[in-house]
Amino acid sequence: MSVGRPDLLELARPAAGRRRRTVPPVGAVAGVVLGVLVLAAVLPWIFTGADPLATATSDSQLPPSLEHLFGTDKLGRDVFSRVVHGAGLSLSFGFTATLAALILGILIGVASGLAPRPVDNVIMRALEIALAFPELLVALVVIALLGPGTTNVIVAITVAAVPVYARVVRITTIQVRQSAFIEASVALGQHRVAIVLKHLLPNVIGPLLVLATIGIGTSIIAGSGLSFLGLGPVSPTPEWGLMLSDGRNSLGTAWWIAVFPGLAITVTVISTTVLGRYLQGRFEGRAR
Amino acid sequence: MSTAVAGTSRAGAALTLYLPRLVGALIVIWGAATLAFLVLHLVPGDPVDIMLGVQSTVSEQVRESIRDELGLNQPILQQYLAYLGHVVTLDFGRSYRLQQPVTAVIGAQLLPTVQLAALSIVFALVIALAIALAARTRVARAIATLIELIAISSPTFWTGLLLLTVFSFQLRWFPVSGGQGLPALVLPALTLALPIAGILSQVIRHGLDGANAQPFVDSARARGLTFAEQLGRHTLRHASPPAVTLAAYIVGSLLGGAVIIEQLFGRPGIGRVALDAINNRDLPVVMALVIFAAVVFVVINLIVDLLYPLIDPRLRRTR
């Protein structure tokens, strides 16, 4: 499992000035790669006509060729087609869980940041306790309670990701709450809900989107990791983590069955990380 | 710290410095234990049913006597207090599935995971330092950034498979699976170490950049210290605190990562215990592991707090 918890990557960020000159093309490339992956997730048949579930025992474990770009697996299924069709489920782990975690994180973080001191303290302590556990462990506990399955995997990754976002939102909320424009809005007699929606939220969401972009990658690794452990979708569903664990047993004879789905995960996660850091650079450039 | 003055004011200062941290640490463990208790009681389904298994034909009378024995018929508050008492005495009950005390189940599998984690940390530190120190020119920096990015972004269950393919199946240097001896430990530890090395190297590199901009480095250079001397006495010390801050998180992710690594390499250990417990809904084991993780986190953080002043002289005698 990766240690790339999005808020901790902040610690390791290189200085902004030096990076911005070289990064834009890289950021654009990452964006394009991610775009292609999303396209594969939504419309897989653009990329391949082969059926990801069609078995052909005569074509068992064929090495990569022009006909089968990524080779075939034990049951003669086309690995390229399975990787393309697997994008949907694997990406949805990342996107769905991150979106849900963002919403929950914003709710908890804003509530905590605006709450009276004692309430805020309790929520903050609870977040700190939650952050004490590695994300995978939290996700595993949730799975232990809910049982395995695709939906439960998404719920588990969401629960594991919420504390990170909630903590960042809470800190920004407290910072923004003290700023002059909020005081001015209060003095002008605007409604509290209006102030939160119009002034607080836009300021809170900006820095969060950068974290979330990187968080998508982390969630994809977590989701495919849980699938790899056999806690998510079940065979023959095409899903990258599950394909890897299927391929593990034929590693000695047919490396391609496991290598290509893993490559897909890595490429996806690299793109989200690079894009996230690029957005971060842009965001800071504007703020300065 | 080197001069052991036993004055009362000194002891008092140490007390005011470390007491809040100790209390904070206990709060984290209490929180984890309480969460575990709530979860055990909020989980849908009768614990006795889970314990006996789905197809059991045990009569309602026997079930009732088991409930009595486990104290499940007492008021919830009383159960909670009794539970806290058990946790304090390290009694986590019996595994539903294995019918053994949870402490024995976990204790028996602790060693392989500790060995794995320890070797991983060594690998991670060596790789991270090697990358960070090699990245001194522009080109080397770009390569280091790329290596770090790939190391952080690759899922361990994939890098592990790649290492297995190359070093076990093709070159036959290491065994494919199993838990015996040092050779069997190398690939799993390396796999677990790679993403940690990636993030550590970034942090150390960042810290070294910051240190090199400090006046004390200029003065060290002016005194004619070699690069290695500067590094050992000054810059690495300056770069260490952020990396040490990550220690608790890194050990935590080693625990989580062990679940995947032990499954991938067919090794025994805590991760295996966790996965078995999850697959069988053996909740006492799961919850004991949660508390175990909390204790590990808290202990590492306390050690880190004590280490700071030893690493960075500027943090000594403050407050």
Side-chain angles (χ1 to χ4, degrees):
Chain A
M1 185 60 40
S2 159
V3 286
R5 204 177 85 193
D7 61 329
L8 289 176
L9 287 173
E10 292 284 288
L11 274 175
R13 209 152 37 81
R18 189 180 56 244
R19 194 190 56 240
R20 224 179 305 134
R21 257 173 286 130
T22 52
V23 161
V26 181
V29 170
V32 169
V33 171
L34 210 56
V36 171
L37 285 161
V38 171
L39 198 64
V42 182
L43 305 166
W45 54 86
I46 292 181
F47 297 90
T48 171
D51 183 348
L53 300 177
T55 57
T57 33
S58 56
D59 293 344
S60 179
Q61 299 195 354
L62 294 178
S65 63
L66 275 181
E67 197 189 344
H68 300 288
L69 279 179
F70 292 174
T72 61
D73 68 7
K74 210 167 198 166
L75 299 173
R77 294 176 296 202
D78 183 58
V79 175
F80 179 71
S81 168
R82 288 179 65 74
V83 169
V84 170
H85 283 269
L89 205 47
S90 301
L91 290 191
S92 75
F93 285 150
F95 283 93
T96 320
T98 304
L99 188 68
L102 268 182
I103 293 170
L104 287 173
I106 290 173
L107 286 176
I108 297 173
V110 168
S112 179
L114 295 179
R117 197 63 182 275
V119 179
D120 178 41
N121 272 339
V122 169
I123 298 179
M124 194 185 67
R125 289 277 163 225
L127 287 179
E128 271 171 18
I129 293 174
L131 283 167
F133 301 103
E135 272 176 50
L136 184 66
L137 201 67
V138 176
L140 285 171
V141 171
V142 176
I143 296 279
L145 296 176
L146 301 180
T150 308
T151 320
N152 291 348
V153 163
I154 294 177
V155 174
I157 316 168
T158 305
V159 172
V162 166
V164 173
Y165 298 124
R167 192 175 60 165
V168 174
V169 172
R170 176 186 163 270
I171 294 167
T172 0
T173 303
I174 290 174
Q175 282 168 355
V176 173
R177 189 173 78 163
Q178 292 158 349
S179 61
F181 64 87
I182 297 279
E183 265 178 48
S185 316
V186 175
L188 284 169
Q190 286 186 12
H191 195 270
R192 291 177 71 173
V193 176
I195 297 176
V196 168
L197 289 179
K198 269 173 66 185
H199 300 294
L200 187 66
L201 274 188
N203 282 289
V204 165
I205 287 176
L208 208 59
L209 284 183
V210 172
L211 274 189
T213 313
I214 299 172
I216 289 172
T218 316
S219 295
I220 288 177
I221 291 196
S224 52
L226 292 173
S227 301
F228 174 80
L229 291 173
L231 301 172
V234 287
S235 219
T237 314
E239 196 282 330
W240 295 340
L242 190 61
M243 291 169 70
L244 267 168
S245 87
D246 285 346
R248 189 215 177 281
N249 296 325
S250 24
L251 216 51
T253 47
W255 53 267
W256 50 89
I257 302 175
V259 166
F260 287 113
L263 189 66
I265 299 174
T266 306
V267 167
T268 312
V269 177
I270 289 179
S271 327
T272 58
T273 309
V274 170
L275 188 66
R277 288 186 185 177
Y278 167 67
L279 292 177
Q280 201 167 41
R282 287 284 298 265
F283 191 76
E284 281 174 2
R286 208 182 56 194
R288 215 168 279 139
Chain B
M1 221 145 277
S2 48
T3 51
V5 184
T8 43
S9 62
R10 179 85 186 251
L15 200 66
T16 48
L17 191 61
Y18 291 112
L19 193 66
R21 289 176 194 183
L22 206 62
V23 172
L26 289 176
I27 288 177
V28 170
I29 296 175
W30 168 77
T34 304
L35 187 75
F37 176 82
L38 284 176
V39 153
L40 273 173
H41 285 82
L42 291 179
V43 64
D46 184 354
V48 177
D49 282 343
I50 299 173
M51 225 169 106
L52 295 173
V54 188
Q55 31 333 29
S56 105
T57 50
V58 179
S59 74
E60 188 51 40
Q61 264 174 326
V62 178
R63 284 166 192 269
E64 197 55 35
S65 72
I66 294 176
R67 275 191 204 105
D68 264 342
E69 204 176 299
L70 293 174
L72 291 171
N73 291 330
Q74 288 169 343
I76 193 92
L77 190 67
Q78 206 172 334
Q79 284 188 47
Y80 176 60
L81 292 176
Y83 164 84
L84 283 186
H86 289 311
V87 169
V88 170
T89 54
L90 293 181
D91 173 7
F92 296 102
R94 294 172 80 82
S95 154
Y96 288 165
R97 197 174 66 92
L98 303 167
Q99 294 302 325
Q100 282 175 29
V102 171
T103 335
V105 174
I106 295 176
Q109 300 295 322
L110 203 54
L111 189 63
T113 305
V114 170
Q115 289 171 332
L116 175 69
L119 192 61
S120 295
I121 290 179
V122 173
F123 279 162
L125 274 176
V126 170
I127 297 171
L129 277 174
I131 297 177
L133 295 179
R136 293 177 66 198
T137 62
R138 264 190 74 139
V139 179
R141 257 172 195 288
I143 296 171
T145 312
L146 187 69
I147 294 175
E148 289 160 1
L149 183 64
I150 293 173
I152 291 173
S153 304
S154 306
T156 48
F157 45 90
W158 186 57
T159 40
L161 282 175
L162 291 183
L163 291 174
L164 268 177
T165 309
V166 175
F167 293 106
S168 295
F169 286 105
Q170 306 293 332
L171 299 172
R172 296 179 187 282
W173 288 0
F174 298 104
V176 172
S177 68
Q180 288 87 42
L182 196 61
L185 198 58
V186 172
L187 288 186
L190 188 61
T191 309
L192 199 48
L194 282 177
I196 295 166
I199 204 161
L200 261 184
S201 157
Q202 285 184 329
V203 173
I204 294 173
R205 228 149 41 85
H206 195 47
L208 284 178
D209 286 349
N212 281 324
Q214 295 282 322
F216 63 75
V217 176
D218 288 335
S219 114
R221 221 173 276 149
R223 294 203 313 273
L225 263 65
T226 63
F227 179 72
E229 284 169 332
Q230 284 175 36
L231 207 62
R233 288 191 211 158
H234 300 287
T235 42
L236 258 189
R237 278 170 179 257
H238 181 91
S240 294
V244 173
T245 307
L246 280 177
Y249 186 76
I250 286 172
V251 172
S253 67
L254 285 175
L255 277 180
V259 180
I260 284 179
I261 297 293
E262 285 169 6
Q263 168 78 3
L264 177 62
F265 288 91
R267 284 177 56 80
I270 295 289
R272 258 303 177 72
V273 171
L275 191 59
D276 282 346
I278 289 162
N279 275 322
N280 297 297
R281 289 174 64 95
D282 197 345
L283 293 173
V285 176
V286 175
M287 292 310 144
L289 287 171
V290 168
I291 296 170
F292 175 74
V295 170
V296 169
F297 173 84
V298 156
V299 168
I300 304 271
N301 265 333
L302 283 176
I303 295 174
V304 164
D305 277 344
L306 294 172
L307 275 182
Y308 278 136
L310 297 179
I311 298 168
D312 192 333
R314 287 169 302 183
L315 295 174
R316 279 173 218 164
R317 282 186 296 276
T318 49
R319 267 191 263 182

